[in-house]
Amino acid sequence: MSQNLEKIKSPLDMEPLTIEIHEVEAASRSNTARNDLILMAVFSAVVLASPWVLAPFGAAYPDLLQRFCIFGIFAIGFNIMFGLTGYLSFGHAAFLGIGSYAAVWSFKLLTMNAIPALFFGVVCAGLFSALIGYVCLRRAGIYFSILTLAFAQMSYNLAYSVLTPITNGETGLQLTLGDARMVDAAFGVERTSSLPITNLFGIKMSGYEGFYLCAIILIISFYISIRIFRSPFGMMLRGIKTNQNRMSYTGINTRPYLLAAFVVSGMYAGLAGSLMAVTDPLAGAERMQWTASGEVVLMTILGGAGTLLGPVLGAGVIKYFENIFSSFNKGILHSAFEFLPDGVADFMVTITHPFVGEGWHLTLGVLFMFIVIFLPGGLMEGAQRIGNLFTGGGKSNADSRSGQTQPAE
Amino acid sequence: MAILEVSGVNKRFGGLKALTDVNLSVKESSVHAIIGPNGAGKSTLLNCLIGKLEPDSGVVNFNGTSLLGGITPHEINQLGVCRVFQTPEVFGDMSLLENVMIPSFAKHDGNFRFNGWGSIAKRGEVSEEALSMLEEVGLADQRNVITDSLSRGDKRRLELAMCLIQHPKLLLLDEPTAGMSRADTNNTIDLLKKIGERGITKIIIEHDMHVVFSLAERISVLAQGTVIVEGEPEAIKGDPRVIEAYLGGELG
């Protein structure tokens, strides 16, 4: 270190050192930009091709693909709050539910077109999260988590009972034949004898068409999240996570930064909620329940909080387990262990049976436990370690951590 | 002209009187040292200057603005007061360059700016500035290293860089050389002398008398929460009250 000082003090050395460092820095900056572009391209390609990519895993049916995308968006948004600032919200499902209700009301009152539904879903969730965030962000740490949880449970109970005229309580908000649909009526859309279907300027929003809408919105959401991660705003949020005191003594007012991050992530949740309504036009209070809030926390931590790709990965893994593992039964297990001798096969079936079907949560729990213990940075840390094995692993740990992949606390 | 005026400041923690009627006047562009035995209230006094603590009574004026009465730490920093802490307060899991860029952004963009769509890469002036600052404190080679892996002395120099990049009017240094080797201490003294040429007013809390006497133009001696002596370094050196405060009254 004293050598460094010497080097800089000497006027002869100063020039070349300065130029060299500044050049390296500029190069590394353009490297980041290039890597982001590659990441974006690969991500888009995989998402758009997922009906083929996921076919070998038995997950390539539109209903599940839509859910991958929707929960991917939800988790990306959650990660902007939790991954960047470290503030763990336990009430994001409330915004998801509000997005759904707003979207269904847009279908009922205005039009079956998806665009206004998405718009109102995002705006309502944004307003609501500004309100909740303003109150909850007066506290940090565990108190913040409890406050958000309390608000979400309050929202759930309001939706379930008190606000029945708006939410239709227990039954859930559904389309009816008698809905006004004023905009549709004004444009002379014919009333049918069956319930109308959501559409995007005439393209019906179920099946693969619905999936492609979700996929495109997921890609846009992912792009926005990259922009936020690479912006000065994102850097400030990471600063808040690392040392909030220093931020204050550095002249940063942390509260508006946190509130802005909270609203942005609430809007993401609203977007995900309204997409749920677009692909299946009903909204129920159970979407706001605390288990739904917990699920997005699991997704983000499982994938890797604070990483770009992690939350989407986590959402995919959890939804895959929920849909595929839960559908396994003894018959499928028997055929899977067919190649083993009879006694051994029976034994294997007995051992694995509790972990599939109804018991898929057990598998998820075990997986979650192992990941949190051995890979605190989530699946992304695992991927990075495997990557390091192939590239020689000699790269400095610090360098690889300084970029996008910051392991969770 | 005095840039910082502290008068009649009292601070109590329960039954403990941490500060009793403290007066301090710091001239613009000067280096003012505060010395005193452990527990004399030096750090408490600094905490009252940056909005971390609110004194029970008294007046603290910086450049004509009161630093008391609900003013927040970030507002105080935006007025031009920056502090280097006794235990380095840095952004541990970020790179050195990022550590210096954050205060630079705070300087350029104010205490809040929602620019989630802007790109750091497009703010060349900020990263250039940060890099030059790191070069100045001799940490440029480690700019991409994660801060947690630095030694304590290096962290403190990083923190100094984080303050200097903001061009503060008043720099508060809480034991800037504690835990440093003799060579590092001398480097830090040189660095502080160099930045002294920019006219930044500095308040230094220090136990190392070598540092104090090579930098300070004026010294206040704090003991048991009160300023017992204030004056030029030469006068302080020989003052019997100072020696008594350090060695303990009962011996004298």
Side-chain angles (χ1 to χ4, degrees):
Chain A
M1 167 233 104
S2 53
Q3 288 164 347
N4 290 343
L5 263 186
E6 229 63 72
K7 214 191 266 175
I8 285 153
K9 271 190 229 152
S10 146
L12 272 179
D13 280 11
M14 192 162 177
E15 277 306 294
L17 179 73
T18 312
I19 291 169
E20 189 194 318
I21 287 180
H22 284 251
E23 267 170 10
V24 171
E25 206 46 47
S28 91
R29 244 182 282 140
S30 70
N31 253 351
T32 316
R34 205 193 57 207
N35 288 346
D36 284 349
L37 205 67
I38 295 171
L39 179 66
M40 198 60 223
V42 172
F43 181 80
S44 312
V46 170
V47 170
L48 291 175
S50 57
W52 295 278
V53 175
L54 293 177
F57 303 99
Y61 52 97
D63 192 44
L64 181 58
L65 291 173
Q66 286 167 7
R67 237 171 301 163
F68 282 156
C69 293
I70 291 170
F71 280 92
I73 295 168
F74 190 21
I76 288 176
F78 183 77
N79 187 45
I80 289 175
M81 190 65 197
F82 176 56
L84 286 178
T85 71
Y87 274 63
L88 176 59
S89 159
F90 245 106
H92 260 54
F95 310 131
L96 190 81
I98 286 161
S100 287
Y101 281 122
V104 175
W105 273 112
S106 159
F107 293 140
K108 286 168 85 75
L109 295 177
L110 301 171
T111 165
M112 290 306 290
N113 193 320
I115 299 292
L118 294 176
F119 174 78
F120 286 113
V122 171
V123 169
C124 290
L127 291 175
F128 204 71
S129 57
L131 190 77
I132 290 188
Y134 183 78
V135 178
C136 296
L137 285 168
R138 303 189 155 266
R139 289 285 169 270
I142 190 84
Y143 303 101
F144 169 78
S145 306
I146 298 295
L147 278 174
T148 50
L149 176 63
F151 265 107
Q153 282 305 89
M154 265 153 60
S155 311
Y156 165 70
N157 280 305
L158 284 176
Y160 199 78
S161 53
V162 184
L163 295 178
T164 304
I166 300 175
T167 61
N168 205 17
E170 209 176 336
T171 337
L173 194 61
Q174 288 165 341
L175 300 179
T176 60
L177 285 172
D179 289 335
R181 281 192 280 285
M182 289 179 287
V183 177
D184 278 0
F187 280 90
V189 176
E190 275 178 52
R191 287 192 171 268
T192 46
S193 55
S194 59
L195 282 176
I197 312 170
T198 53
N199 66 69
L200 184 74
F201 305 111
I203 310 166
K204 67 176 174 41
M205 281 295 111
S206 53
Y208 279 108
E209 291 86 348
F211 159 68
Y212 274 106
L213 177 73
C214 296
I216 288 164
I217 294 180
L218 172 66
I219 291 167
I220 297 171
S221 304
F222 187 67
Y223 178 66
I224 295 174
S225 121
I226 293 187
R227 289 296 297 243
I228 291 177
F229 268 65
R230 300 285 179 255
S231 70
F233 175 71
M235 187 187 251
M236 296 304 165
L237 297 183
R238 285 197 294 132
I240 290 174
K241 177 180 181 176
T242 310
N243 192 341
Q244 192 165 355
N245 281 336
R246 181 76 248 185
M247 287 305 268
S248 304
Y249 300 127
T250 296
I252 302 289
N253 191 359
T254 53
R255 189 81 67 75
Y257 277 103
L258 286 165
L259 188 58
F262 194 75
V263 171
V264 168
S265 84
M267 285 163 85
Y268 265 92
L271 180 64
S274 50
L275 270 177
M276 277 181 184
V278 167
T279 52
D280 184 14
L282 50 90
E286 76 287 343
R287 244 169 232 182
M288 296 178 143
Q289 220 170 352
W290 68 272
T291 46
S293 297
E295 200 179 40
V296 76
V297 179
L298 286 192
M299 288 171 179
T300 310
I301 295 178
L302 189 73
T307 62
L308 282 167
L309 216 46
V312 188
L313 216 59
V317 168
I318 287 185
K319 285 292 144 190
Y320 182 77
F321 269 82
E322 184 184 293
N323 285 277
I324 304 297
F325 264 63
S326 64
S327 67
F328 284 3
N329 53 31
K330 268 200 166 135
I332 295 177
L333 286 180
H334 270 296
S335 54
F337 291 116
E338 224 170 24
F339 64 96
L340 294 167
D342 259 2
V344 184
D346 283 344
F347 178 70
M348 290 304 287
V349 170
T350 318
I351 287 189
T352 49
H353 184 245
F355 289 89
V356 297
E358 296 274 288
W360 72 274
H361 277 113
L362 211 54
T363 319
L364 186 66
V366 171
L367 179 74
F368 190 74
M369 205 171 73
F370 276 106
I371 287 191
V372 169
I373 294 172
F374 295 108
L375 294 172
L379 293 171
M380 288 307 287
E381 191 186 331
Q384 208 183 354
R385 284 196 194 172
I386 293 170
N388 281 351
L389 281 184
F390 286 108
T391 55
K395 279 178 78 176
S396 97
N397 193 29
D399 264 8
S400 52
R401 275 184 62 198
S402 67
Q404 40 150 341
T405 43
Q406 297 248 342
E409 294 283 284
Chain B
M1 216 206 97
I3 191 166
L4 181 78
E5 201 76 62
V6 177
S7 60
V9 165
N10 287 290
K11 180 72 192 171
R12 222 175 223 293
F13 296 110
L16 178 80
K17 282 177 118 183
L19 296 175
T20 317
D21 195 28
V22 171
N23 298 305
L24 190 69
S25 174
V26 181
K27 259 205 330 213
E28 195 160 357
S29 318
S30 70
V31 183
H32 196 119
I34 300 174
I35 61 170
N38 287 324
K42 304 182 298 289
S43 292
T44 308
L45 180 60
L46 283 204
N47 287 341
C48 291
L49 301 184
I50 58 160
K52 194 176 178 181
L53 288 177
E54 178 86 28
D56 301 328
S57 62
V59 180
V60 178
N61 276 326
F62 170 71
N63 240 355
T65 317
S66 171
L67 298 187
L68 306 179
I71 188 168
T72 56
H74 66 85
E75 284 166 338
I76 291 178
N77 174 277
Q78 291 283 347
L79 287 174
V81 181
C82 195
R83 174 174 179 184
V84 174
F85 288 80
Q86 198 172 349
T87 18
E89 290 266 2
V90 289
F91 301 109
D93 59 13
M94 298 172 91
S95 74
L96 266 68
L97 191 66
E98 287 174 315
N99 264 272
V100 189
M101 281 171 82
I102 287 178
S104 180
F105 274 121
K107 184 75 185 165
H108 285 281
D109 296 352
N111 63 17
F112 173 70
R113 182 165 161 201
F114 180 73
N115 43 6
W117 199 247
S119 162
I120 292 172
K122 293 213 173 85
R123 298 290 296 275
E125 85 277 8
V126 170
S127 49
E128 292 289 314
E129 226 176 83
L131 204 50
S132 309
M133 197 64 238
L134 283 179
E135 275 166 21
E136 195 165 342
V137 296
L139 291 169
D141 287 348
Q142 305 180 61
R143 65 196 176 281
N144 287 330
V145 170
I146 294 299
T147 308
D148 269 339
S149 62
L150 292 186
S151 72
R152 199 167 145 178
D154 281 355
K155 275 188 193 161
R156 197 168 274 123
R157 283 195 301 152
L158 174 66
E159 213 185 351
L160 189 58
M162 290 163 72
C163 274
L164 289 179
I165 201 167
Q166 297 195 311
H167 305 293
K169 296 193 182 86
L170 176 63
L171 183 60
L172 308 173
L173 300 152
D174 198 346
E175 302 196 24
T177 64
M180 278 188 185
S181 67
R182 182 48 74 185
D184 283 357
T185 302
N186 285 333
N187 281 330
T188 308
I189 292 175
D190 288 345
L191 188 67
L192 289 174
K193 276 186 177 158
K194 204 165 85 185
I195 62 167
E197 291 155 17
R198 289 177 207 164
I200 301 171
T201 315
K202 290 186 280 291
I203 295 182
I204 299 184
I205 290 182
E206 188 56 78
H207 283 299
D208 186 336
M209 290 305 140
H210 169 64
V211 178
V212 171
F213 288 108
S214 42
L215 288 170
E217 293 158 35
R218 231 182 143 69
I219 298 177
S220 293
V221 184
L222 215 59
Q224 291 169 350
T226 36
V227 178
I228 53 168
V229 197
E230 197 197 316
E232 309 273 314
E234 282 313 310
I236 297 292
K237 255 183 195 169
D239 196 302
R241 286 169 294 175
V242 179
I243 297 161
E244 188 190 305
Y246 268 93
L247 295 179
E250 65 272 23
L251 288 176

